[in-house]
Amino acid sequence: VVSFGQRRSGFFVRIFEQNLRDGRSKLGKGGVTEIALPKRAAQNIPMLLDFVYEDKLDLDADSAPAMRYLANQFDVRDLYSLVSSFIQGDLSEQTVTRYIAEAEAVKDKELLTIGMQIATAKFHLIPDEALVQIPPHVFQQLISSPQMNCPTPERLSQRVAIYARGRSDEINDEVFYFMTHAQI
């Protein structure tokens, strides 16, 4: 089923076609295809299968980046379009930190870049409790971005302090120094 119909996986179509060409069409004679996936993406395989088999999709800011990754990895074009449209409509200063964290977890560089652009443009509007969702190494990139938009240095310092308090267990001397001496 994953290789037929409107919601088929181009990835599996290619594998099945290759197996047929190689004469491995009977069960037990075919090879094994191993796929390395980021953990967060692998956790969403059941949702991918729900879409392919049942046309069921329930997206939110936590699942959309992983589903976008899986749709791209397994070449499910309809899913990729649906998820990309969802993200485009949902991405705001309220949700951007979740998208950044999830894009980082599934190694989606394009989505991470888009999230970073929004976060730098609307940094002063991101809810305080949402800031801590950003991984420390990504937060460093964010606050050192030339596009950083924060109305005053004091407001930027407040935001950095909120982040440092919320992620205190992950902030070592080097990270703290960088965050407090960033050239903005």
Side-chain angles (χ1 to χ4, degrees), residues 61-136:
D62 293 324
S63 64
M67 292 304 292
R68 178 181 140 104
Y69 175 89
L70 291 171
N72 192 46
Q73 179 74 24
F74 293 108
D75 194 17
V76 182
R77 296 292 101 206
D78 283 351
L79 179 59
Y80 190 86
S81 294
L82 287 169
V83 174
S84 294
S85 292
F86 174 83
I87 291 171
Q88 209 169 25
D90 190 51
L91 196 51
S92 70
E93 65 270 3
Q94 302 296 317
T95 61
V96 70
T97 59
R98 289 169 58 200
Y99 280 105
I100 288 172
E102 292 300 317
E104 175 68 17
V106 297
K107 310 294 185 234
D108 186 333
K109 291 178 183 175
E110 180 185 11
L111 182 56
L112 182 60
T113 299
I114 292 167
M116 294 286 283
Q117 290 169 348
I118 292 170
T120 55
K122 300 186 179 218
F123 185 72
H124 61 289
L125 300 174
I126 296 172
D128 292 348
E129 64 278 0
L131 278 179
V132 298
Q133 294 176 347
I134 302 171

Side-chain angles (χ1 to χ4, degrees), residues 7 10 15 19 24 31 39 46-47 53 55-56 65 67 70 84 90 94 101 117-118 126 130 136 152 163 182-183:
R7 297 180 308 275
I15 287 176
N19 283 343
R24 293 182 280 180
K39 182 179 180 180
M47 188 183 280
Y53 291 126
D55 195 19
K56 189 167 80 171
M67 292 304 292
L70 291 171
S84 294
D90 190 51
Q94 302 296 317
Q117 290 169 348
I118 292 170
I126 296 172
T152 66
Y163 183 83
Q183 298 296 316

